Amino acid sequence: MELKRLTGLSYGTLTYHLTRLEREGSIRAVRSARKSRYYTSDVDDLQADIIECIRNRICKDIISMIVEYGAVTLDGLAKALKKAKTTINYHIERLRARGIIEGKRIGRYIFYSLRDSSILDRLGALLSS
């Protein structure tokens, strides 16, 4: 719908052209039950997951804090972002499920950090392009 709004094309025309571009290999589609997202053919699955996550303000803020501090706790994120712990936890689980962050228990706290350094490189590439 965002592409439809941006281009001003009718839904049928837009669908036709997106289908053609996908068949030619110029773009790739990632479809879920509720939506389809389109990416250039050079964007891999992890980059697509990162893009989807950073479109959400809270996920983007969580990733930014992890990049800035290296590792953060749920309590620290909740205080810094001024959001409920349940809200932060929901977004942390989304990021963990996509393999972007991981949690490591130290004492009674879980410290969240990027899964590996390649994610930081991919974030930099995505944000600079």
Side-chain angles (χ1 to χ4, degrees):
M1 297 315 278
E2 187 175 350
L3 285 172
K4 182 181 180 301
R5 183 181 53 79
L6 290 170
T7 62
L9 296 172
S10 69
Y11 184 73
T13 303
L14 182 62
T15 302
Y16 168 79
H17 289 291
L18 287 172
T19 302
R20 284 201 61 188
L21 288 169
E22 188 177 3
R23 279 190 209 139
E24 292 171 1
S26 299
I27 64 171
R28 69 183 194 93
V30 177
R31 292 179 175 81
S32 67
R34 294 181 28 187
K35 60 189 165 201
S36 296
R37 296 212 183 262
Y38 296 93
Y39 302 97
T40 59
S41 57
D42 61 333
V43 173
D44 63 25
D45 290 337
L46 180 59
Q47 286 174 320
D49 286 342
I50 292 170
I51 290 168
E52 185 170 346
C53 285
I54 62 176
R55 287 179 53 93
N56 178 287
R57 184 76 198 157
I58 296 172
C59 285
K60 184 178 183 177
D61 290 344
I62 291 170
I63 291 171
S64 295
M65 288 195 63
I66 290 173
V67 168
E68 185 176 345
Y69 296 106
V72 293
T73 63
L74 177 65
D75 291 336
L77 286 167
K79 285 178 187 173
L81 300 178
K82 296 181 175 93
K83 300 287 182 190
K85 288 182 186 179
T86 54
T87 301
I88 299 297
N89 192 53
Y90 169 79
H91 291 286
I92 284 173
E93 290 307 315
R94 286 183 61 207
L95 292 165
R96 287 179 73 180
R98 287 176 168 79
I100 297 171
I101 66 171
E102 64 183 1
K104 186 175 190 180
R105 181 173 290 282
I106 300 176
R108 53 181 267 216
Y109 295 102
I110 299 175
F111 286 84
Y112 298 99
S113 59
L114 294 177
R115 188 187 55 151
D116 60 40
S117 60
S118 71
I119 292 173
L120 188 57
D121 297 336
R122 289 171 192 236
L123 274 171
L126 288 171
L127 296 174
S128 67
S129 57

